[in-house]
Amino acid sequence: MPSTDIDAFKHLLGTSKHIIAVAGAGLSAASGIPTFRGAGGMWRKYDAMSLATPEAFEQNPSLVWQFYHYRREAALKAEPNAAHLVLSKFSIPDIRHAVAPSSSFTLITQNVDNLSPRANERVFAKHGAPPASEPPHIFEMHGRLFDVNCTNPNCEHTEFNTASPICEALKGTEKLVEEQHLDSDLPVDQLPHCSKCGALTRPGVVWFGEIPHDLHRIDKLVQQADLCLVVGTSSTVYPAAGYAVEVAENGGKVAVFNAEDTGATEGADFVFVGPCETTLPKALGI
C-alpha cells in the first residue's frame, strides 16, 4: 500500500537529487479548465477521435477549430492556481534547495493551456528565473493551445496568438461546444489562416497519433530521475503515462497527487488524494 505520510514524503524529498513532475489536466482543474477523463470530463462529452486527430481536422476543420476555440477562450479566462505557482517556485534553485538540497527539477506537462508558463512568468519576475546551467524547467510535451501552425508544408509558419476570438467566425461558438451542438456549416475560408502565406492553420497541439515534443530530452530526464511527482493525471495517455513506471523500475520513488484515487496510484510509494492546489504546496513545503 502506498503511504500517505507527508513527513515521510518530505524526508524523501530532502534526499532526492533528480526530481521530475509529470502533470496532467488535474493541475489546472482549480483554474476552471475542464479535465478530460474525470467526472464531467471533456472526453465524456466528445469523442476524442472526432476532434483531436489529424484525420478529424482534415475531414472537418471547422468542427475542430470550434472545439479548440472553446478551449482557448477557457484558458484565456483562467488564472494559474496555487499548484501551478508552487511548481514554478520549486523550479528556482534557491527556493527548492531549502527543502531538497542539491536537487534538480523539471516539470513535464501534458497541458496545453499556458497556465504553467504564465505561473513561471509571475514567479520568475519576483524571484529570478532558474539559471541556464539548470535542466530545462518545463517541457510542454503536447504543444500549446495558443500556437497556430500553418498547414502548408512549404511554409509551416508557427506563431503564438492569444487573440480573442482568434477569428470573427468563431466568436460565440464556445456556447455551441457547451451545448454539444457544433456548427458543421462554418465556412473553412473564415477559419484562422496563416499570416505569412494565407493557408489554413491548425491549433498547435499534439493530437492523438502525433509525436509529442522533446521526447529525447524528456527521456534522459526520466532515466536520471530518482523521484517522480505525478500531478493531476489519470496516467492513461502514453508516453507520459509510462514515465512514473520507468522511474520506479530504475529504483526511483513515485508520489501521486490526484483529486481522486485512479489507476495512477498503482505501484506508487506515496499517494495524496485531494485537490493538488492544496496537497502539493503542503507536501513540497513551499
PDB file of all heavy atoms in Angstrom, residues 6 9-10 83 86 231 256-259 271-285:
ATOM      1  N   ILE A   6       2.944  12.452   5.121  1.00  0.00           N
ATOM      2  CA  ILE A   6       3.560  13.615   4.496  1.00  0.00           C
ATOM      3  C   ILE A   6       4.952  13.893   5.054  1.00  0.00           C
ATOM      4  O   ILE A   6       5.835  14.383   4.331  1.00  0.00           O
ATOM      5  CB  ILE A   6       2.642  14.853   4.636  1.00  0.00           C
ATOM      6  CG1 ILE A   6       3.025  15.903   3.589  1.00  0.00           C
ATOM      7  CG2 ILE A   6       2.673  15.425   6.038  1.00  0.00           C
ATOM      8  CD1 ILE A   6       1.940  16.890   3.299  1.00  0.00           C
ATOM      9  N   PHE A   9       7.256  11.662   3.236  1.00  0.00           N
ATOM     10  CA  PHE A   9       7.485  12.191   1.885  1.00  0.00           C
ATOM     11  C   PHE A   9       8.480  13.340   1.927  1.00  0.00           C
ATOM     12  O   PHE A   9       9.377  13.429   1.074  1.00  0.00           O
ATOM     13  CB  PHE A   9       6.175  12.664   1.249  1.00  0.00           C
ATOM     14  CG  PHE A   9       6.407  13.403  -0.036  1.00  0.00           C
ATOM     15  CD1 PHE A   9       6.686  12.723  -1.214  1.00  0.00           C
ATOM     16  CD2 PHE A   9       6.393  14.796  -0.066  1.00  0.00           C
ATOM     17  CE1 PHE A   9       6.945  13.405  -2.401  1.00  0.00           C
ATOM     18  CE2 PHE A   9       6.644  15.490  -1.239  1.00  0.00           C
ATOM     19  CZ  PHE A   9       6.926  14.791  -2.409  1.00  0.00           C
ATOM     20  N   LYS A  10       8.346  14.223   2.881  1.00  0.00           N
ATOM     21  CA  LYS A  10       9.261  15.357   2.968  1.00  0.00           C
ATOM     22  C   LYS A  10      10.698  14.891   3.204  1.00  0.00           C
ATOM     23  O   LYS A  10      11.649  15.493   2.693  1.00  0.00           O
ATOM     24  CB  LYS A  10       8.815  16.313   4.073  1.00  0.00           C
ATOM     25  CG  LYS A  10       7.572  17.118   3.704  1.00  0.00           C
ATOM     26  CD  LYS A  10       7.205  18.093   4.806  1.00  0.00           C
ATOM     27  CE  LYS A  10       6.014  18.959   4.391  1.00  0.00           C
ATOM     28  NZ  LYS A  10       5.635  19.932   5.446  1.00  0.00           N
ATOM     29  N   ALA A  83      -1.219  25.332  -7.248  1.00  0.00           N
ATOM     30  CA  ALA A  83      -0.372  24.213  -7.676  1.00  0.00           C
ATOM     31  C   ALA A  83       0.589  24.651  -8.786  1.00  0.00           C
ATOM     32  O   ALA A  83       1.759  24.275  -8.777  1.00  0.00           O
ATOM     33  CB  ALA A  83      -1.245  23.050  -8.148  1.00  0.00           C
ATOM     34  N   VAL A  86       3.306  26.837  -7.048  1.00  0.00           N
ATOM     35  CA  VAL A  86       4.290  26.146  -6.209  1.00  0.00           C
ATOM     36  C   VAL A  86       5.287  25.371  -7.070  1.00  0.00           C
ATOM     37  O   VAL A  86       6.475  25.274  -6.739  1.00  0.00           O
ATOM     38  CB  VAL A  86       3.600  25.231  -5.170  1.00  0.00           C
ATOM     39  CG1 VAL A  86       3.091  23.943  -5.786  1.00  0.00           C
ATOM     40  CG2 VAL A  86       4.556  24.917  -4.023  1.00  0.00           C
ATOM     41  N   VAL A 231       1.158  14.538 -11.023  1.00  0.00           N
ATOM     42  CA  VAL A 231       0.277  15.610 -10.564  1.00  0.00           C
ATOM     43  C   VAL A 231      -0.932  15.756 -11.485  1.00  0.00           C
ATOM     44  O   VAL A 231      -0.796  16.151 -12.648  1.00  0.00           O
ATOM     45  CB  VAL A 231       1.025  16.953 -10.493  1.00  0.00           C
ATOM     46  CG1 VAL A 231       0.098  18.048  -9.957  1.00  0.00           C
ATOM     47  CG2 VAL A 231       2.272  16.842  -9.629  1.00  0.00           C
ATOM     48  N   VAL A 256       2.090  10.407  -5.976  1.00  0.00           N
ATOM     49  CA  VAL A 256       0.934  10.785  -6.798  1.00  0.00           C
ATOM     50  C   VAL A 256       0.093  11.819  -6.059  1.00  0.00           C
ATOM     51  O   VAL A 256      -0.235  11.640  -4.876  1.00  0.00           O
ATOM     52  CB  VAL A 256       0.076   9.553  -7.140  1.00  0.00           C
ATOM     53  CG1 VAL A 256      -1.195   9.960  -7.882  1.00  0.00           C
ATOM     54  CG2 VAL A 256       0.882   8.569  -7.978  1.00  0.00           C
ATOM     55  N   PHE A 257      -0.269  12.878  -6.777  1.00  0.00           N
ATOM     56  CA  PHE A 257      -1.139  13.930  -6.249  1.00  0.00           C
ATOM     57  C   PHE A 257      -2.344  14.040  -7.192  1.00  0.00           C
ATOM     58  O   PHE A 257      -2.238  14.608  -8.282  1.00  0.00           O
ATOM     59  CB  PHE A 257      -0.404  15.266  -6.182  1.00  0.00           C
ATOM     60  CG  PHE A 257       0.799  15.256  -5.282  1.00  0.00           C
ATOM     61  CD1 PHE A 257       2.023  14.765  -5.729  1.00  0.00           C
ATOM     62  CD2 PHE A 257       0.712  15.724  -3.981  1.00  0.00           C
ATOM     63  CE1 PHE A 257       3.137  14.753  -4.909  1.00  0.00           C
ATOM     64  CE2 PHE A 257       1.820  15.714  -3.146  1.00  0.00           C
ATOM     65  CZ  PHE A 257       3.031  15.218  -3.604  1.00  0.00           C
ATOM     66  N   ASN A 258      -3.467  13.480  -6.789  1.00  0.00           N
ATOM     67  CA  ASN A 258      -4.653  13.474  -7.634  1.00  0.00           C
ATOM     68  C   ASN A 258      -5.893  13.793  -6.809  1.00  0.00           C
ATOM     69  O   ASN A 258      -5.948  13.486  -5.608  1.00  0.00           O
ATOM     70  CB  ASN A 258      -4.847  12.112  -8.314  1.00  0.00           C
ATOM     71  CG  ASN A 258      -4.214  12.070  -9.693  1.00  0.00           C
ATOM     72  OD1 ASN A 258      -3.996  13.091 -10.338  1.00  0.00           O
ATOM     73  ND2 ASN A 258      -3.913  10.863 -10.159  1.00  0.00           N
ATOM     74  N   ALA A 259      -6.895  14.354  -7.470  1.00  0.00           N
ATOM     75  CA  ALA A 259      -8.148  14.684  -6.794  1.00  0.00           C
ATOM     76  C   ALA A 259      -8.914  13.439  -6.393  1.00  0.00           C
ATOM     77  O   ALA A 259      -9.697  13.455  -5.451  1.00  0.00           O
ATOM     78  CB  ALA A 259      -9.007  15.571  -7.675  1.00  0.00           C
ATOM     79  N   VAL A 271       0.784   8.434  -2.034  1.00  0.00           N
ATOM     80  CA  VAL A 271      -0.422   8.926  -2.699  1.00  0.00           C
ATOM     81  C   VAL A 271      -1.084   9.957  -1.800  1.00  0.00           C
ATOM     82  O   VAL A 271      -1.346   9.689  -0.619  1.00  0.00           O
ATOM     83  CB  VAL A 271      -1.420   7.789  -3.005  1.00  0.00           C
ATOM     84  CG1 VAL A 271      -2.731   8.372  -3.540  1.00  0.00           C
ATOM     85  CG2 VAL A 271      -0.836   6.819  -4.016  1.00  0.00           C
ATOM     86  N   PHE A 272      -1.328  11.129  -2.374  1.00  0.00           N
ATOM     87  CA  PHE A 272      -2.021  12.193  -1.658  1.00  0.00           C
ATOM     88  C   PHE A 272      -3.268  12.554  -2.457  1.00  0.00           C
ATOM     89  O   PHE A 272      -3.182  13.172  -3.519  1.00  0.00           O
ATOM     90  CB  PHE A 272      -1.099  13.400  -1.467  1.00  0.00           C
ATOM     91  CG  PHE A 272       0.151  13.061  -0.696  1.00  0.00           C
ATOM     92  CD1 PHE A 272       1.366  12.884  -1.352  1.00  0.00           C
ATOM     93  CD2 PHE A 272       0.107  12.888   0.681  1.00  0.00           C
ATOM     94  CE1 PHE A 272       2.515  12.556  -0.645  1.00  0.00           C
ATOM     95  CE2 PHE A 272       1.249  12.554   1.405  1.00  0.00           C
ATOM     96  CZ  PHE A 272       2.465  12.387   0.733  1.00  0.00           C
ATOM     97  N   VAL A 273      -4.424  12.120  -1.954  1.00  0.00           N
ATOM     98  CA  VAL A 273      -5.694  12.331  -2.648  1.00  0.00           C
ATOM     99  C   VAL A 273      -6.310  13.634  -2.169  1.00  0.00           C
ATOM    100  O   VAL A 273      -6.433  13.874  -0.961  1.00  0.00           O
ATOM    101  CB  VAL A 273      -6.655  11.152  -2.404  1.00  0.00           C
ATOM    102  CG1 VAL A 273      -8.014  11.440  -3.042  1.00  0.00           C
ATOM    103  CG2 VAL A 273      -6.062   9.864  -2.968  1.00  0.00           C
ATOM    104  N   GLY A 274      -6.687  14.453  -3.111  1.00  0.00           N
ATOM    105  CA  GLY A 274      -7.282  15.746  -2.802  1.00  0.00           C
ATOM    106  C   GLY A 274      -6.889  16.749  -3.864  1.00  0.00           C
ATOM    107  O   GLY A 274      -6.097  16.448  -4.765  1.00  0.00           O
ATOM    108  N   PRO A 275      -7.426  17.948  -3.799  1.00  0.00           N
ATOM    109  CA  PRO A 275      -7.073  18.965  -4.788  1.00  0.00           C
ATOM    110  C   PRO A 275      -5.579  19.247  -4.754  1.00  0.00           C
ATOM    111  O   PRO A 275      -5.018  19.532  -3.696  1.00  0.00           O
ATOM    112  CB  PRO A 275      -7.882  20.187  -4.336  1.00  0.00           C
ATOM    113  CG  PRO A 275      -8.956  19.654  -3.448  1.00  0.00           C
ATOM    114  CD  PRO A 275      -8.368  18.443  -2.785  1.00  0.00           C
ATOM    115  N   CYS A 276      -4.921  19.142  -5.905  1.00  0.00           N
ATOM    116  CA  CYS A 276      -3.465  19.286  -5.900  1.00  0.00           C
ATOM    117  C   CYS A 276      -3.031  20.704  -5.546  1.00  0.00           C
ATOM    118  O   CYS A 276      -1.900  20.902  -5.082  1.00  0.00           O
ATOM    119  CB  CYS A 276      -2.858  18.843  -7.228  1.00  0.00           C
ATOM    120  SG  CYS A 276      -3.461  19.716  -8.681  1.00  0.00           S
ATOM    121  N   GLU A 277      -3.928  21.681  -5.700  1.00  0.00           N
ATOM    122  CA  GLU A 277      -3.577  23.042  -5.288  1.00  0.00           C
ATOM    123  C   GLU A 277      -3.484  23.149  -3.768  1.00  0.00           C
ATOM    124  O   GLU A 277      -2.950  24.127  -3.231  1.00  0.00           O
ATOM    125  CB  GLU A 277      -4.587  24.053  -5.846  1.00  0.00           C
ATOM    126  CG  GLU A 277      -5.989  23.958  -5.294  1.00  0.00           C
ATOM    127  CD  GLU A 277      -6.866  22.935  -6.012  1.00  0.00           C
ATOM    128  OE1 GLU A 277      -6.336  22.129  -6.822  1.00  0.00           O
ATOM    129  OE2 GLU A 277      -8.092  22.946  -5.755  1.00  0.00           O
ATOM    130  N   THR A 278      -4.013  22.138  -3.070  1.00  0.00           N
ATOM    131  CA  THR A 278      -3.897  22.075  -1.614  1.00  0.00           C
ATOM    132  C   THR A 278      -2.808  21.103  -1.179  1.00  0.00           C
ATOM    133  O   THR A 278      -1.970  21.424  -0.328  1.00  0.00           O
ATOM    134  CB  THR A 278      -5.238  21.633  -0.990  1.00  0.00           C
ATOM    135  OG1 THR A 278      -6.247  22.573  -1.351  1.00  0.00           O
ATOM    136  CG2 THR A 278      -5.146  21.559   0.515  1.00  0.00           C
ATOM    137  N   THR A 279      -2.821  19.900  -1.764  1.00  0.00           N
ATOM    138  CA  THR A 279      -1.882  18.863  -1.310  1.00  0.00           C
ATOM    139  C   THR A 279      -0.441  19.151  -1.741  1.00  0.00           C
ATOM    140  O   THR A 279       0.495  18.874  -0.988  1.00  0.00           O
ATOM    141  CB  THR A 279      -2.307  17.492  -1.862  1.00  0.00           C
ATOM    142  OG1 THR A 279      -2.369  17.550  -3.294  1.00  0.00           O
ATOM    143  CG2 THR A 279      -3.673  17.094  -1.318  1.00  0.00           C
ATOM    144  N   LEU A 280      -0.260  19.685  -2.937  1.00  0.00           N
ATOM    145  CA  LEU A 280       1.102  19.857  -3.456  1.00  0.00           C
ATOM    146  C   LEU A 280       1.894  20.906  -2.681  1.00  0.00           C
ATOM    147  O   LEU A 280       3.042  20.637  -2.280  1.00  0.00           O
ATOM    148  CB  LEU A 280       1.038  20.196  -4.951  1.00  0.00           C
ATOM    149  CG  LEU A 280       2.325  20.044  -5.752  1.00  0.00           C
ATOM    150  CD1 LEU A 280       2.866  18.613  -5.681  1.00  0.00           C
ATOM    151  CD2 LEU A 280       2.088  20.433  -7.218  1.00  0.00           C
ATOM    152  N   PRO A 281       1.363  22.117  -2.440  1.00  0.00           N
ATOM    153  CA  PRO A 281       2.137  23.068  -1.650  1.00  0.00           C
ATOM    154  C   PRO A 281       2.480  22.542  -0.255  1.00  0.00           C
ATOM    155  O   PRO A 281       3.581  22.779   0.255  1.00  0.00           O
ATOM    156  CB  PRO A 281       1.206  24.290  -1.554  1.00  0.00           C
ATOM    157  CG  PRO A 281       0.340  24.185  -2.763  1.00  0.00           C
ATOM    158  CD  PRO A 281       0.109  22.709  -2.953  1.00  0.00           C
ATOM    159  N   LYS A 282       1.528  21.818   0.332  1.00  0.00           N
ATOM    160  CA  LYS A 282       1.781  21.269   1.680  1.00  0.00           C
ATOM    161  C   LYS A 282       2.913  20.244   1.625  1.00  0.00           C
ATOM    162  O   LYS A 282       3.813  20.244   2.479  1.00  0.00           O
ATOM    163  CB  LYS A 282       0.514  20.623   2.211  1.00  0.00           C
ATOM    164  CG  LYS A 282       0.623  20.096   3.639  1.00  0.00           C
ATOM    165  CD  LYS A 282      -0.698  19.517   4.106  1.00  0.00           C
ATOM    166  CE  LYS A 282      -0.587  18.956   5.533  1.00  0.00           C
ATOM    167  NZ  LYS A 282      -1.882  18.356   5.991  1.00  0.00           N
ATOM    168  N   ALA A 283       2.882  19.360   0.633  1.00  0.00           N
ATOM    169  CA  ALA A 283       3.896  18.301   0.556  1.00  0.00           C
ATOM    170  C   ALA A 283       5.273  18.871   0.217  1.00  0.00           C
ATOM    171  O   ALA A 283       6.284  18.395   0.748  1.00  0.00           O
ATOM    172  CB  ALA A 283       3.470  17.276  -0.495  1.00  0.00           C
ATOM    173  N   LEU A 284       5.301  19.861  -0.658  1.00  0.00           N
ATOM    174  CA  LEU A 284       6.600  20.430  -1.051  1.00  0.00           C
ATOM    175  C   LEU A 284       7.140  21.401  -0.010  1.00  0.00           C
ATOM    176  O   LEU A 284       8.293  21.800  -0.074  1.00  0.00           O
ATOM    177  CB  LEU A 284       6.479  21.139  -2.406  1.00  0.00           C
ATOM    178  CG  LEU A 284       6.171  20.227  -3.588  1.00  0.00           C
ATOM    179  CD1 LEU A 284       6.107  21.047  -4.890  1.00  0.00           C
ATOM    180  CD2 LEU A 284       7.217  19.116  -3.730  1.00  0.00           C
ATOM    181  N   GLY A 285       6.293  21.789   0.927  1.00  0.00           N
ATOM    182  CA  GLY A 285       6.763  22.658   1.999  1.00  0.00           C
ATOM    183  C   GLY A 285       7.087  24.059   1.544  1.00  0.00           C
ATOM    184  O   GLY A 285       7.941  24.737   2.123  1.00  0.00           O
TER     185      GLY A 285
END
